[in-house]
Amino acid sequence: MPTEDELFAAVDALLEGEPEMPPPAERARLREAARVSQARLAQALQTSTQTVKNWEAGRAEPRPPRRQAYQRLLDGWAEKYPQSPDADAAHLPQTFAGTSAPSTVGAPAPASAPGAPAATARPAPARKTAASSRRPGAKKAVKKPAAADPRFENGPLAVVDATDDGQVLAYCVGGLVLEVPAKSLPSLIEWTLAEARLGQARLHRNGRDADPVIVLTPAALERYALPAALSEEERRAGRLPDGHKAVKQLTKANWQLTQRGLGPWARIYRPAEGSKRNCVQLCIPAWNALDVREWDKKDDPQLPGMHPADLARYLGTYAQRVMTPRGTTAVTGLELMVALRPPTRAQKDEATGEFKRAFNDDALTAVYDVVECEVPDEHPLLKGRFARHHLRTPAEMLMEEPYDWCRPLTDQECMNQYLVAVDINMSFAAAANGLTVGLNGPTHLTGNPTFDPALPGSWLVDLSHVDLSRVDVGGRTVDATRLPSPFTPKGDRPTGPAWYATPTVQYAVELGFDVAPIEAYVRTQTGRYLDGWYKRLRDAYVATMADLDVTTDLGGQEFLDAMARSKQVDPTMALLAGAIKATAKGGIGKLRQRNRGQVPYYEPWPALARETWRPDIRAAVLANQRIGIHRKLMKTAAAADLYPVAIGTDAIVYPSPGPSPLDVLPHTDEGKPVPGGFRLGISPGMVKHQGTQTVLWAEAQFEETGSVFNVSNLIKTDPTAGEGE
C-alpha cells in the first residue's frame, strides 16, 4: 500500500503539471501588444515565421524546448499587457463567465445577419499527439458525434503535411491536428493503423468498416521521398514502377500493394488478422487523385491552393455524409451501393455452431449471364455478331438514355423575349428512388409474352402506333407533338419494334395505349436496391446545401436568391455539393462501365467481373428519369399550354416573357406550383434556375450553324457547371 506522503507527492506532481498555453488569439494579441513581428519572434525562438503563424492560427502547438521558452515569453507579456475585464470574461468558459450565461452545448451556431459577408477564417483546430493531448482539454475542443466509434475517434481520414521546421502534421475532421512521428512511408502506414485512430464504421451491419485514408500534400510527398508528380509513362501506367525506392521500402517492410500499385489511390495492406483488416488507402492529389472534373471547379481549380485543414474538412465531411472516398466520385458512388447492400452476411450453422458466408436476398450477389441487347458495342458477346462498324438499331440494342432534344421556336414563342432554363436537382438519384430493379439473372420470354410491369428487364415492343397528337391529362387535352417522344432520347417517334426498359413500356400503358411485346428478358428476383443509396445521397446533398444557406423550406424568389449567393457563402461546401452530385451521376454510369482502352475490342475488360456490372439497372434508371421528365412536361402543358423548346439530360428550356423561372413556371390560383409539374426547391427531383438567354441569342446560334441544335446546356448562369447531375 502507498504511504500518505507518496500519494500527496503524486497529487502535487499533477497540480504542478505543465502549464496550459494561452489560446491562439491571445498569443497573437500579446505579441502585437509588445510590437514584435512574427519574423522577429521566429528568430528569437530559432524557428520559421510560418511555424509562428501556425501557433497563432491554432494549426499547431509548440514542442519542447521551444514550448517552455515560448510559454515564459507569453507569461512575461501577459503581466505587462493584461486583457481588459471584458476581454477576460469573453475568454472564460461560459460556466464561469457568469451565472446567467446560457449553456451552448449542442446549440446551433447563430445565423449570420442578412447581407453580412460570409466568415472565411477557419476555427482554431485542437491539436494532440497520437497517444494523448499535450494540454488538458484539447480533445474536448473537437466536437464529435455522440455515438462516435472509439476505434475511429479522429475521423475517417487525415491530410498529412510537412512544415518548414521538419514537423509532420495530420489534419483531421473537426480541426484536430495530430503529430506524426513517422520518418518513412512504411512507418507512416504503421502509425496510421496503430495510433492514429482513423477509419469509419460500417454503413450496414453486414458490411465492413472503411479503411483509413491518408491524403498526402506536396510537402508530405517530398518528406516521404515520393515524386511531386508522375512522369508521362507513370501517368499512363497509373502507378510508380515496381523498382521505385518507395515501393521497395514497402515490400521490405512486408507491406503489399493491390494490382493498382502505388498510384493516385493506392491501397497498402497486410493479410487480415481474423476480422481485423490491416489496410490503409493513400490519396495523392498531386498525382490527380482528385480529378478537377469531379472534385473541383474545372475552370477555376481550388484544391491546389487549399490549406490542409480545409482539405481535411472537405474530404472528411464527404466521408461522413456519403462514405470514405475510394477513388473517383463514380467509383465511390458504386461502392456506396455495395456498402449499403452488402452481398453476404455471416450465418451460424446450427449443426456445427460455426459461422459461414450466406448471401443476402436484397443485394447483387453474383455475375450473371448478360443479354445481347443490353451490352455496349465492344462486349465480347457481340464478337462476330455484326460487321466491324455496324451501328446497331433500336431493334438490336437497348437505347435508354437521357433526353437530347431541341426544336425550332414557333412564331408565337418568338414573341417572348427570353429562354429560361431550369434543371432538376440530382435527377438520376431521384429517378432511382423507389425503382424496382432485377437482382438475379435474366429469364428469356418468347412467343409474344404479356407485359408485366412488376418484372424489370428489357422488352422488344413496337410503339410506333402510339399517337401523342391528342392526349388527355387530368381532363385537359395536350398536343404532345410539341413535346419530345417519351420513348426515344432524341425525342423522335418510334418507327418499328425496339427494345425498351420496363419503365418506358409501363408509361405507354399509363398513357392508355396497348402494348404487345414480341420477346423479353426479365428478372424474377426483384427489389428496390437503390432506395438506401438514394436516401444517403439525398440527405448528404440537402445537409450540404443547408450549410450554404439553401434549405428545403425556401420557395419562390427566396429560394432563387439563396441559390444565387450560395457559392459565396462557403466555397468548400460548394465544392462538396458538386462532389455529391457527381457521385450520384457517376455511380449510375458505373453500372455499365465501358472498355476505356484497357483491352482490345471484344476482349473482356475488368469491370465485367463485378457483380455490380448491371447495364439493365442503369437502363431502368435512365428510362425512369426520362419518363419522369415527360410526365412533368405533360402536366405543365395541360396547366398552362406551355411547351419546352429544348431538353438536355435534365435541363429544360422554356420561352418566357421574363428572365426568371417565376415568370414561366405555372402556379395555381392560390400561388402554389401546379401539382405534378416542375417545382422550385433544393430537394432531389425539384428544379433550380440554370440560366437565361434571349430568344434573339438562340436565333443567332441557329443562324450561325445553319441548323437547330440543342441550346439547353449553353444556357448557364454558371459556365463551370457540368452537363447534367
Side-chain angles (χ1 to χ4, degrees):
M1 291 289 292
T3 66
E4 182 177 315
D5 289 341
E6 289 173 338
L7 291 173
F8 273 44
V11 170
D12 289 342
L14 290 176
L15 292 173
E16 296 172 1
E18 187 178 79
E20 184 175 353
M21 296 285 293
E26 176 65 4
R27 302 169 199 174
R29 186 195 72 80
L30 290 171
R31 178 186 54 76
E32 291 168 356
R35 298 184 179 181
V36 175
S37 68
Q38 290 177 329
R40 184 179 172 191
L41 176 57
Q43 184 179 13
L45 296 177
Q46 298 183 26
T47 187
S48 67
T49 304
Q50 182 59 50
T51 298
V52 173
K53 291 179 179 178
N54 290 341
W55 293 344
E56 294 186 355
R59 293 193 291 265
E61 290 287 326
R63 295 190 296 178
R66 293 187 180 90
R67 181 183 178 90
Q68 289 82 351
Y70 190 30
Q71 177 77 60
R72 183 176 180 182
L73 178 63
L74 293 173
D75 289 344
W77 281 344
E79 291 181 7
K80 294 178 64 176
Y81 311 109
Q83 289 182 326
S84 65
D86 291 342
D88 286 337
H91 283 280
L92 286 174
Q94 294 212 1
T95 325
F96 302 103
T99 55
S100 62
S103 172
T104 59
V105 177
S112 301
T120 57
R122 289 183 299 273
R127 182 174 178 272
K128 67 175 186 176
T129 62
S132 63
S133 173
R134 286 188 174 274
R135 58 183 178 86
K139 198 169 172 182
K140 294 180 182 178
V142 183
K143 185 178 179 181
K144 295 177 182 173
D149 192 318
R151 297 172 301 160
F152 313 125
E153 64 174 334
N154 294 331
L157 53 82
V159 179
V160 174
D161 188 38
T163 62
D164 295 340
D165 61 352
Q167 287 183 300
V168 180
L169 303 175
Y171 294 84
C172 305
V173 180
L176 183 68
V177 182
L178 305 176
E179 296 178 12
V180 182
K183 305 298 183 184
S184 66
L185 186 58
S187 61
L188 175 63
I189 305 304
E190 296 274 7
W191 171 84
T192 301
L193 292 173
E195 302 180 53
R197 294 186 178 274
L198 295 172
Q200 188 176 35
R202 64 196 68 186
L203 299 180
H204 188 281
R205 66 181 183 277
N206 295 325
R208 69 184 188 190
D209 299 329
D211 299 319
V213 173
I214 296 295
V215 184
L216 297 177
T217 67
L221 292 178
E222 182 180 358
R223 177 67 181 79
Y224 292 115
L226 291 168
L230 297 178
S231 67
E232 183 63 26
E233 183 178 352
E234 292 166 348
R235 187 185 62 78
R236 286 197 299 267
R239 56 193 290 175
L240 293 180
D242 293 339
H244 192 276
K245 178 182 177 181
V247 179
K248 289 182 177 180
Q249 280 183 333
L250 292 169
T251 304
K252 186 177 180 180
N254 296 320
W255 289 104
Q256 301 178 40
L257 292 160
T258 62
Q259 291 182 351
R260 289 190 296 183
L262 187 51
W265 289 93
R267 300 191 78 83
I268 303 172
Y269 70 97
R270 285 176 181 154
E273 301 172 4
S275 61
K276 180 183 177 183
R277 288 171 58 84
N278 297 308
C279 183
V280 174
Q281 182 162 343
L282 296 185
C283 168
I284 306 178
W287 297 0
N288 199 35
L290 303 175
D291 193 297
V292 68
R293 296 167 297 180
E294 302 172 338
W295 297 100
D296 207 348
K297 295 175 69 175
K298 185 177 179 181
D299 294 341
D300 183 21
Q302 306 294 305
L303 296 184
M306 186 176 283
H307 189 277
D310 290 330
L311 185 57
R313 176 183 175 232
Y314 173 33
L315 296 178
T317 307
Y318 177 92
Q320 291 174 329
R321 292 180 179 176
V322 180
M323 71 177 300
T324 300
R326 303 286 183 86
T328 65
T329 54
V331 167
T332 306
L334 191 69
E335 289 292 330
L336 180 61
M337 297 179 194
V338 178
L340 294 170
R341 299 275 190 175
T344 61
R345 69 183 187 279
Q347 186 177 61
K348 188 175 183 179
D349 189 325
E350 298 298 335
T352 64
E354 297 180 352
F355 284 91
K356 60 181 181 180
R357 188 178 70 165
F359 291 104
N360 291 318
D361 293 335
D362 62 352
L364 301 175
T365 58
V367 178
Y368 295 102
D369 292 337
V370 294
V371 176
E372 181 179 297
C373 68
E374 294 174 351
V375 300
D377 293 336
E378 66 272 24
H379 196 278
L381 185 65
L382 301 180
K383 186 174 183 178
R385 180 71 177 81
F386 301 104
R388 170 65 173 169
H389 299 291
H390 173 74
L391 295 177
R392 287 192 287 167
T393 66
E396 298 167 334
M397 180 181 183
L398 181 65
M399 295 183 179
E400 295 286 13
E401 299 292 340
Y403 271 128
D404 180 11
W405 169 84
C406 188
R407 65 171 176 81
L409 279 74
T410 65
D411 292 342
Q412 183 179 0
E413 289 169 341
C414 287
M415 299 298 291
N416 291 285
Q417 186 176 353
Y418 298 100
L419 294 178
V420 174
V422 295
D423 74 335
I424 302 172
N425 299 318
M426 297 183 69
S427 64
F428 297 130
N433 183 34
L435 181 65
T436 299
V437 300
L439 301 177
N440 62 344
T443 298
H444 191 194
L445 304 180
T446 58
N448 299 319
T450 302
F451 173 68
D452 186 349
L455 292 177
S458 303
W459 304 80
L460 182 61
V461 188
D462 188 352
L463 297 179
S464 60
H465 66 284
V466 174
D467 183 7
L468 296 178
S469 59
R470 309 294 288 176
V471 180
D472 182 76
V473 179
R476 297 187 180 183
T477 301
V478 173
D479 179 10
T481 58
R482 295 171 63 185
L483 299 175
S485 168
F487 309 125
T488 62
K490 291 293 184 181
D492 302 324
R493 181 171 176 171
T495 58
W499 287 101
Y500 302 101
T502 298
T504 303
V505 184
Q506 183 179 357
Y507 188 55
V509 175
E510 179 183 320
L511 292 174
F513 297 94
D514 294 329
V515 297
I518 301 169
E519 62 175 311
Y521 290 91
V522 298
R523 278 79 181 173
T524 54
Q525 180 186 345
T526 65
R528 291 166 57 159
Y529 177 73
L530 296 170
D531 274 13
W533 179 83
Y534 160 76
K535 291 174 183 175
R536 179 83 176 176
L537 291 172
R538 175 202 62 193
D539 293 347
Y541 181 66
V542 169
T544 303
M545 293 307 298
D547 290 337
L548 298 174
D549 295 339
V550 184
T551 55
T552 54
D553 60 338
L554 298 180
Q557 190 60 49
E558 191 178 17
F559 167 73
L560 295 174
D561 292 342
M563 284 296 299
R565 60 176 178 264
S566 62
K567 293 188 178 181
Q568 284 70 49
V569 170
D570 188 334
T572 302
M573 289 297 101
L575 288 182
L576 179 58
I580 294 170
K581 292 189 292 185
T583 302
K585 180 180 179 181
I588 297 299
K590 273 284 183 179
L591 292 168
R592 195 197 67 164
Q593 181 177 330
R594 303 189 66 169
N595 180 5
R596 295 173 297 183
Q598 304 108 309
V599 297
Y601 222 72
Y602 297 133
E603 292 297 321
W605 58 96
L608 300 184
R610 294 194 317 246
E611 293 89 345
T612 51
W613 196 83
R614 291 296 298 268
D616 58 300
I617 296 180
R618 172 190 177 272
V621 173
L622 268 57
N624 207 38
Q625 187 259 6
R626 194 184 65 249
I627 294 304
I629 289 178
H630 196 272
R631 282 196 185 96
K632 293 183 178 182
L633 296 177
M634 296 278 278
K635 292 284 187 180
T636 303
D641 195 32
L642 184 65
Y643 296 86
V645 297
I647 306 175
T649 307
D650 55 13
I652 301 98
V653 180
Y654 279 107
S656 170
S660 169
L662 297 175
D663 296 320
V664 63
L665 295 182
H667 289 72
T668 64
D669 294 339
E670 293 77 23
K672 297 181 179 180
V674 170
F678 298 106
R679 178 176 183 146
L680 288 171
I682 201 56
S683 297
M686 300 174 77
V687 301
K688 59 182 180 292
H689 187 203
Q690 176 171 285
T692 298
Q693 283 286 2
T694 64
V695 169
L696 292 177
W697 170 87
E699 292 297 336
Q701 299 292 319
F702 298 153
E703 289 182 10
E704 184 176 339
T705 60
S707 63
V708 176
F709 68 100
N710 198 337
V711 297
S712 59
N713 287 307
L714 296 178
I715 304 177
K716 292 180 184 291
T717 300
D718 179 6
T720 65
E723 180 177 339
E725 294 181 5

